[in-house]
Amino acid sequence: MDALLLRLHTETACRRGGALGLRLADVDTCRGLVRLIEKGANLRWQPITLDLAAHLDEHARTRGAVLPTDLLLRYRNGRAITSRRYDHLWKRIGEQLPWAAAQGVSAHWLRHTTLTWVERHFGYGVARAYAGHTDSTGPATTTYIKADLYAVAAALAAMTGQPHPLAIAEGARWRDSSGLA
């Protein structure tokens, strides 16, 4: 469970509330996507590795999720996890890794780290899309700086070293539009 949580937050840069709200129907194991509902009830499809998608689905089903509306992340007894699971997780990590406690490592810290990596390697527009930021506040140029799901999938594939079906489509789209073979 802990490894799934850490990997989910690292791959998606999702907020804690987005992870806690995931339902069985929110995992697309074929296309490597999760549907996140986060801050301000913003809904977004976020690419994840096919490996993580399969593990999330298996986790939910082996722990009693049956209906599409059943929550995904569950304890062994079948109950859905709560934010207290995170509190205990970070406490245990901090006890084992004092540097993590000193740095304030948390789900938000993972989000920040992932988004910083994406921004440094793929640019501001892709980082905004990866974060699920749809607001247009700030400089006027933020209105024009956008990236699509394919670009986010390409960033995920580069970060994880695992191919993603939508990232492959992004490469094909770029080659087609550029005229390069």
Side-chain angles (χ1 to χ4, degrees):
M1 166 76 84
D2 293 342
L4 269 180
L5 286 174
L6 295 174
R7 189 160 168 204
L8 176 65
H9 285 281
T10 302
E11 285 193 20
T12 65
C14 71
R15 294 173 176 90
R16 187 163 69 167
L20 290 171
L22 282 173
R23 303 164 303 153
L24 194 57
D26 295 331
V27 178
D28 182 336
T29 57
C30 295
R31 294 188 310 155
L33 296 168
V34 290
R35 181 176 33 215
L36 296 166
I37 301 172
E38 294 186 310
K39 194 175 178 181
N42 286 332
L43 182 139
R44 67 183 164 117
W45 282 99
Q46 183 73 19
I48 59 174
T49 60
L50 294 175
D51 186 54
L52 178 57
H55 280 93
L56 287 170
D57 186 68
E58 178 187 3
H59 166 85
R61 292 180 191 283
T62 59
R63 294 190 176 198
V66 178
L67 301 174
T69 56
D70 286 345
L71 289 174
L72 194 72
L73 299 169
R74 300 168 164 271
Y75 292 107
R76 283 192 185 106
N77 66 9
R79 285 186 5 250
I81 70 166
T82 66
S83 61
R84 291 191 48 94
R85 177 65 184 217
Y86 284 94
D87 298 338
H88 293 297
L89 172 64
W90 300 120
K91 183 177 185 291
R92 285 183 287 121
I93 289 173
E95 289 169 354
Q96 294 296 312
L97 303 169
W99 67 265
Q103 294 292 319
V105 174
S106 65
H108 187 75
W109 189 89
L110 292 176
R111 175 178 169 78
H112 181 270
T113 302
T114 296
L115 294 175
T116 298
W117 187 92
V118 171
E119 187 274 330
R120 300 276 161 77
H121 292 86
F122 287 85
Y124 181 71
V126 176
R128 277 179 49 88
Y130 209 109
H133 290 170
T134 57
D135 59 323
S136 59
T137 58
T141 54
T142 60
T143 303
Y144 306 108
I145 300 171
K146 296 190 183 338
D148 60 16
L149 195 60
Y150 301 102
V152 173
L156 172 72
M159 182 177 65
T160 62
Q162 294 185 32
H164 192 280
L166 298 178
I168 294 164
E170 167 69 359
R173 284 178 349 125
W174 184 83
R175 281 190 304 279
D176 290 347
S177 68
S178 69
L180 301 174

